[in-house]
Amino acid sequence: MTEEQSVKLKAFLNCFVEYPLLTEIMGDFDRLRQNRLLGGDQQCMLLTGDTGCGKSHLIRYYQSREQSEPKGRFDSSPILVSRIPSKLSLEETVLQLLKDLGQFGTTTRGRSRITTDSSLTHSLVELLRKKQVELIIINEFQELIEYKSAEKKQAIANRLKYISEEAGVPIVLVGMPWAEMIAEEPQWSSRLVTRRSLPYFKLSEDPVHFVQFLKGLAKKMPFDKPPKLEDKKTSISLFAASRGELRALRHLINDAVKDAVLEDEREFNVQRLHHSFTKLNPQVRNPFELPLNEIKLSEIEHYSGYNPRAMSNDDALTNRMFSENIPLKELLKKKG
């Protein structure tokens, strides 16, 4: 791979396609940062969505966009993005936040017997002030409250509330759909003033939304002119291949674009999508080789869930469910 090819591919693989819902969510982030200047109780936010819906990509884009803008402040970190660590505990989460702020040596410090939860929290609050953090975004938040008793969930809610109030920084909790359980805690039921969900694409509800995304993605491709991904046959085949899941859609398109760039093609031939699907799904019938009237589609019906009253941990999590594969005409009849 040449350096030029590498640059083109990295730019496309990391590109962000903004559409109305994402614009609104980033506007929510901006509003939380602005409201913090008014003081008082900090307004916070809950953002949920199933696996592959694009939550992490959105967060990374927002952080990189804000960090790249000159603020005229030395050693500041306006957006702190963290995620729940592999060791699921409140202490480890505070340690991870410290580490993400550049506090090195927190792993050893966290193991010290004389280090208390309160001293770690105090250190975090002080560092948040020093770094002039305007917004904390905690990803994969559901992992911290899964399989926890009501008492432990309340302790988590109390600690996050304390950090937010003492540092004067709003918090965005991001996670799978059942992260909403935190909203049941009295400390957070009114504090989460904004609650958003990031859905999969659904042709039965908003086919235009899907087509607009394909157009936006095509414009980001490293070719002389954008391919017509929005053409009916191509767009329906792409939906059939991904079932509306953003991650699956991007994996397929990314692979096809990579092959085209490595062969120094100036234009993107949509036939490459056919080849990439076969490569990635050798045991599945390829929608790109079927006539439009023979393509069958499936879309999300129920998102993943969590039942805290399940008899065992193995039964607590429920998988997402997709509809049966049906022709396009039948799928569109479900609209409304």
Side-chain angles (χ1 to χ4, degrees), residues 29-30 32-37 42-43 62 66 71 73 76-80 128 131-137 167-171:
F29 294 166
D30 291 337
L32 291 174
R33 295 167 62 195
Q34 293 164 0
N35 288 344
R36 63 181 285 274
L37 301 176
Q42 292 299 314
Q43 297 180 354
Y62 183 77
E66 297 303 305
K71 303 291 183 181
R73 301 177 303 187
S76 66
S77 300
I79 312 299
L80 170 60
L128 288 168
K131 294 281 190 175
Q132 302 179 65
V133 174
E134 300 173 2
L135 187 68
I136 300 171
I137 302 177
V169 181
I171 297 176

Side-chain angles (χ1 to χ4, degrees), residues 163-315:
I163 292 169
S164 177
E165 288 182 346
E166 289 299 307
V169 181
I171 297 176
V172 179
L173 304 176
V174 182
M176 295 288 280
W178 57 93
E180 294 179 351
M181 288 190 299
I182 194 65
E184 299 171 5
E185 298 300 321
Q187 296 285 10
W188 283 85
S189 59
S190 60
R191 190 172 298 274
L192 294 168
V193 295
T194 303
R195 304 181 192 183
R196 293 276 193 180
S197 62
L198 201 54
Y200 289 176
F201 296 111
K202 292 189 73 172
L203 294 187
S204 64
E205 293 183 359
D206 192 358
V208 174
H209 183 190
F210 182 67
V211 171
Q212 288 176 337
F213 178 82
L214 293 180
K215 287 182 178 179
L217 190 59
K219 290 178 181 178
K220 301 280 187 177
M221 289 184 174
F223 304 107
D224 290 346
K225 63 179 182 179
K228 297 290 186 180
L229 298 183
E230 71 273 17
D231 282 353
K232 191 169 185 178
K233 175 62 170 65
T234 302
S235 62
I236 295 304
S237 297
L238 284 168
F239 191 90
S242 64
R243 301 190 296 183
E245 181 195 326
L246 180 60
R247 180 183 295 159
L249 178 67
R250 285 300 305 261
H251 277 330
L252 174 61
I253 294 176
N254 289 351
D255 185 81
V257 168
K258 180 190 69 175
D259 287 347
V261 169
L262 292 180
E263 294 190 20
D264 292 322
E265 295 184 0
R266 303 290 297 272
E267 294 187 6
F268 181 77
N269 187 336
V270 294
Q271 187 66 18
R272 285 206 170 273
L273 296 169
H274 177 290
H275 298 314
S276 288
F277 185 89
T278 298
K279 185 199 320 180
L280 299 173
N281 307 276
Q283 305 300 321
V284 181
R285 192 172 187 189
N286 193 326
F288 295 94
E289 65 185 17
L290 298 174
L292 185 60
N293 62 353
E294 292 184 21
I295 297 177
K296 293 188 176 181
L297 306 106
S298 173
E299 62 181 18
I300 193 72
E301 283 197 338
H302 300 289
Y303 291 106
S304 304
Y306 171 78
N307 179 10
R309 293 178 293 276
M311 298 298 293
S312 69
N313 289 348
D314 291 338
D315 297 328

